[in-house]
């Protein structure tokens, strides 16, 4: 999580832009993204220089091209560590006349020998615009950004999440942000492996891909000692689609996945079918599309205009047999009565393996949205396999469920893996550790296991036959049983006698008052 000091620095940068004449929050975060990207390129180039010096060899690759640009400026002088020390007017000229033209041609026509690392970025920087209006504002922003520590990958992700929160509070594009602890829950429950190929078809800022990478670094650190796995991690594991170039650029600056500009629902997916072993997503649900705007291969899976159903159909197309998915859906997907809703739910239960449904509390996406949602976990099999479905009623995620979303516990008690076991009172404020613990034991058999827990409990299993008998309704409330406390009511005659006694007391009191007034 970001410290108060770091938040204060980001606020200062944000305020500098606003007072300097840039009031559009998207433009602010875009300009910050460009500058942080230039800083990252310089850091990578420095690493290559240090490696070459240690080995006593020429540099294997040059992040910044060799030679000079079209205006005769040496590319080495365009590095962050060089221009940040220039006078404001000179720095302004360097970025507007040399650095940004270089960005727009990054990786094109041999303009960079950055290899695979620039190929992803080149796609999203080709229309890079430098819109900072004055040298004074540029110098102030560069000085402030230079003081922000960016060595820690968690800090980078938290920084962008914090800035996206500012976008949402400004009333724009709040749908891009999924709470980090919900992302971590989904990643830990699907447990990515070093051989997975992971896709988020609505990647936004790549929060799921970054979290998956962090999970692998923490739990499978040895993969980096295997040349094949290391190459797969860096060049073939992470894939994301989005059709907003701004968000693609932001996502590219967080990590280095293969992010592609793509309308996930509107383009054919022939080359992507059966390609991925893990899909993690929280796609935007914008209502309905016209049939002519929907990819034909998705309509073959389910004929509908509803985006939430089309995305589920897409996930099934993208996954290879045996591939698994954890995706957030609005509650309507679980109980909708249309033919398309029922067909898709039946498909998940009968043709594939529906593993679990975790019902999320209504305020988990506030202040951006109050819609009720759930996480679907399923495995593509093309041959069935659903014996039972595990349900969990997640009632608290460690944060208040109002628009402020304040933490309810100390920092070391939040998230999926708190520093110590939570008490019953603390569990009532943060269910995430319990979700993970019970998920890990969902297939165990024995006394008190998930299969024998009553449906009055927070988690329980429902056999496939019960789900089929209920028209493949997957809403938790369909199966959860509520225990009503028995209330003892007084006999009517006793109540009437009490009323008569009270009326008599009132009559006597009234008579006494009347006597006093004579």
């Amino acid at each position: 999580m970001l410290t108060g000091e770091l938040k204060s620095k980001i606020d200062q940068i944000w305020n500098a832009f606003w007072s300097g004449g840039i009031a559009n929050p998207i433009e602010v975060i875009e300009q910050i993204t460009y500058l942080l990207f230039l800083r990252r390129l310089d850091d990578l180039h420095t690493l290559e220089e240090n490696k070459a010096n240690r080995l006593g060899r020429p540099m294997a690759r040059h992040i910044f091209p060799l030679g000079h640009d079209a205006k005769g400026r040496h590319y080495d002088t365009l590095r962050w560590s060089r221009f940040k020390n220039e006078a404001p007017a000179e720095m302004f000229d360097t970025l507007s006349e040399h650095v940004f033209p270089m960005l727009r041609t990054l990786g094109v026509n041999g303009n960079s020998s950055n290899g695979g690392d620039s190929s992803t970025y080149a796609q999203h920087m080709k229309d890079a615009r430098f819109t900072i209006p004055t040298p004074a504002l540029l110098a102030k922003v560069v000085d402030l950004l230079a003081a922000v520590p960016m060595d820690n990958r968690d800090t980078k992700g938290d920084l962008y999440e914090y800035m996206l929160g500012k976008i949402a509070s400004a009333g724009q594009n709040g749908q891009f942000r999924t709470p980090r602890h919900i992302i971590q829950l989904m990643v830990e429950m699907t447990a990515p492996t070093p051989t997975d190929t992971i896709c988020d078809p609505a990647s936004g800022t790549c929060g799921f891909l970054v979290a998956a990478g962090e999970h692998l670094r923490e739990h499978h650190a040895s993969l980096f000692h295997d040349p094949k796995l290391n190459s797969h991690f860096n060049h073939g594991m992470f894939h994301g689609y989005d059709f907003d170039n701004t968000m693609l650029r932001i996502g590219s600056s967080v990590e280095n996945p293969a992010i592609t500009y793509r309308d996930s629902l509107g383009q054919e997916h022939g080359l992507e079918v059966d390609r991925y072993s893990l899909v993690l997503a929280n796609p935007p649900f914008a209502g309905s599309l016209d049939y002519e705007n929907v990819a034909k291969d998705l309509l073959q899976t389910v004929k509908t205009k509803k985006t939430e159903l089309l995305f589920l159909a897409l996930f099934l197309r993208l996954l290879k047999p045996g591939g698994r998915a954890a995706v957030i859906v609005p509650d309507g997907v679980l109980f909708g009565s249309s033919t398309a809703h029922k067909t898709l739910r039946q498909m998940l239960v009968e043709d594939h393996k529906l593993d679990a449904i975790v019902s999320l509390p209504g305020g988990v996406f506030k202040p951006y949205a109050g819609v009720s949602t759930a996480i679907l976990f399923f495995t593509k099999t093309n041959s069935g396999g659903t014996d039972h479905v595990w349900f969990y009623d997640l009632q608290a995620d460690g944060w208040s469920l109002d628009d402020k979303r304040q933490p309810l516990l100390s920092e070391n008690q939040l998230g999926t893996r708190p520093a110590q076991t939570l008490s019953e009172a603390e569990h009532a404020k943060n269910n995430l550790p319990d979700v993970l613990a019970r998920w890990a034991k969902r297939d165990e058999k024995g006394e008190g296991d998930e299969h024998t827990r009553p449906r009055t409990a927070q988690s329980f299993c429902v056999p496939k036959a019960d789900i089929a008998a209920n028209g493949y309704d997957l809403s938790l409330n369909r199966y959860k049983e509520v225990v009503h406390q028995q209330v003892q009511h007084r006999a009517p005659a006793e109540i009437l006698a009490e009323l008569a006694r009270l009326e008599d007391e009132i009559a006597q009191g009234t008579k006494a008052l009347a006597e006093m007034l004579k």
Side-chain angles (χ1 to χ4, degrees):
M1 296 177 66
L2 288 181
T3 63
E5 181 184 0
L6 197 50
K7 284 183 178 179
S8 176
K9 289 180 179 179
I10 301 305
D11 289 340
Q12 289 178 36
I13 296 169
W14 202 270
N15 292 334
F17 273 104
W18 280 64
S19 60
I22 299 182
N24 183 345
I26 284 286
E27 188 175 359
V28 172
I29 197 171
E30 191 174 49
Q31 294 301 300
I32 292 174
T33 297
Y34 291 139
L35 293 173
L36 288 179
F37 175 62
L38 290 167
R39 180 175 163 183
R40 172 181 163 85
L41 287 182
D42 187 39
D43 290 342
L44 290 173
H45 196 95
T46 302
L47 285 175
E48 290 294 328
E49 287 178 332
N50 293 339
K51 186 190 299 183
N53 290 334
R54 285 197 307 270
L55 298 175
R57 301 175 183 171
M59 288 177 63
R61 60 172 185 162
H62 290 262
I63 308 302
F64 284 80
L66 295 170
H68 300 75
D69 66 9
K71 296 184 179 181
R73 184 77 175 262
H74 198 287
Y75 282 116
D76 190 68
T77 65
L78 307 185
R79 296 169 59 177
W80 169 274
S81 56
R82 308 289 194 268
F83 69 70
K84 78 183 179 78
N85 298 315
E86 295 176 347
E90 185 181 355
M91 186 195 307
F92 189 85
D93 180 74
T94 297
L95 267 78
S96 61
E97 299 298 324
H98 302 279
V99 173
F100 271 75
M102 180 198 72
L103 271 186
R104 288 192 286 269
T105 59
L106 193 66
V108 178
N109 299 326
N111 196 33
S112 170
S113 53
N114 183 22
D117 203 47
S118 73
S119 59
T120 296
Y121 298 121
Q123 299 175 43
H124 313 310
M125 298 295 170
K126 61 186 179 183
D127 57 349
R129 299 177 307 119
F130 179 66
T131 60
I132 295 178
T134 65
L137 175 59
L138 173 63
K140 185 173 184 179
V141 169
V142 167
D143 285 344
L144 290 169
L145 284 176
V148 176
M150 294 296 289
D151 298 330
N152 187 294
R153 281 181 297 272
D154 283 340
T155 299
K156 283 192 282 188
D158 289 339
L159 182 149
Y160 275 94
E161 182 179 284
Y162 182 61
M163 289 197 295
L164 288 171
K166 286 181 170 292
I167 291 178
S169 66
Q172 300 186 35
N173 300 311
Q175 69 270 26
F176 292 122
R177 184 174 179 267
T178 305
R180 182 163 295 274
H181 52 283
I182 299 299
I183 291 176
Q184 290 173 339
L185 175 69
M186 294 166 66
V187 168
E188 295 205 38
M189 290 177 71
T190 52
T193 68
T195 56
D196 271 323
T197 304
I198 306 170
C199 180
D200 180 355
S203 57
T205 56
C206 302
F208 285 103
L209 301 181
V210 173
E214 290 302 313
H215 179 89
L216 288 163
R217 290 178 187 277
E218 181 180 350
H219 296 281
H220 300 277
S222 61
L223 76 85
F224 299 104
H225 304 300
D226 183 312
K228 186 176 180 181
L229 293 177
N230 185 44
S231 176
H232 176 61
F233 180 90
N234 284 302
H235 303 293
M237 179 177 286
F238 303 103
H239 301 261
Y241 311 146
D242 209 295
F243 58 85
D244 186 321
N245 269 323
T246 300
M247 302 314 294
L248 288 170
R249 282 190 286 269
I250 294 168
S252 295
S253 295
V254 176
E255 278 292 340
N256 183 33
I259 313 170
T260 306
Y261 179 87
R262 185 186 189 96
D263 182 352
S264 292
L265 299 181
Q267 294 176 238
E268 297 293 323
H269 307 91
L271 298 177
E272 307 294 314
V273 172
D274 295 345
R275 182 178 177 186
Y276 304 106
S277 61
L278 177 59
V279 167
L280 297 163
N282 177 20
F285 304 112
S288 299
L289 300 176
D290 294 330
Y291 279 129
E292 57 266 25
N293 295 330
V294 179
K296 299 299 183 288
D297 58 337
L298 296 184
L299 292 177
Q300 291 171 4
T301 303
V302 57
K303 191 172 179 60
T304 181
K305 300 178 182 179
K306 294 284 187 183
T307 55
E308 57 265 39
L309 301 182
L310 290 168
F311 267 110
L312 274 180
L314 172 63
F315 302 150
L316 288 171
R317 294 278 292 169
L318 297 179
L319 286 170
K320 62 174 65 174
R324 58 211 189 279
V327 297
I328 297 175
V329 298
D331 273 0
V333 169
L334 306 180
F335 57 78
S337 58
S338 74
T339 301
H341 281 87
K342 292 180 179 178
T343 299
L344 202 51
R345 292 199 300 265
Q346 182 175 354
M347 191 183 303
L348 287 172
V349 173
E350 298 291 352
D351 299 342
H352 304 284
K353 186 175 185 293
L354 180 59
D355 298 300
I357 293 170
V358 176
S359 176
L360 297 176
V364 75
F365 290 107
K366 285 189 174 181
Y368 320 116
V371 63
S372 296
T373 54
I375 310 172
L376 284 184
F377 295 86
F378 59 89
T379 304
K380 178 177 177 177
T381 65
N382 293 328
S383 58
T386 305
D387 295 321
H388 60 271
V389 177
W390 184 71
F391 286 82
Y392 193 100
D393 184 11
L394 199 157
Q395 299 169 355
D397 65 346
W399 301 75
S400 65
L401 297 174
D402 55 15
D403 286 348
K404 293 183 178 180
R405 291 291 275 157
Q406 298 291 328
L408 301 177
L409 298 167
S410 61
E411 186 174 342
N412 64 355
Q413 295 174 315
L414 294 172
T416 56
R417 298 190 183 277
Q420 58 191 28
T421 303
L422 299 183
S423 66
E424 186 174 341
E426 291 163 346
H427 162 74
K429 298 178 181 178
N430 180 14
N431 300 166
L432 301 182
D434 189 57
V435 179
L436 272 186
R438 294 194 176 280
W439 166 258
K441 299 177 180 179
R442 70 193 182 284
D443 292 326
E444 293 181 5
K445 298 292 178 67
E447 186 177 352
D449 63 27
E450 294 298 301
H451 292 268
T452 58
R453 279 167 67 86
R455 295 188 186 180
T456 54
Q458 194 165 13
S459 65
F460 53 86
C461 291
V462 178
K464 183 178 80 169
D466 285 10
I467 293 173
N470 281 282
Y472 299 98
D473 189 318
L474 299 177
S475 57
L476 179 133
N477 290 335
R478 170 67 69 176
Y479 306 102
K480 188 173 179 67
E481 296 174 359
V482 179
V483 177
H484 298 283
Q485 186 176 359
Q486 189 174 4
V487 179
Q488 295 289 339
H489 296 288
R490 296 165 65 187
E494 182 183 344
I495 296 173
L496 288 172
E498 178 73 10
L499 287 174
R501 184 184 64 79
L502 290 172
E503 287 179 354
D504 185 54
E505 288 181 3
I506 292 170
Q508 291 180 23
T510 303
K511 184 176 180 182
L513 283 173
E515 290 292 330
M516 294 170 62
L517 293 173
K518 287 182 180 179

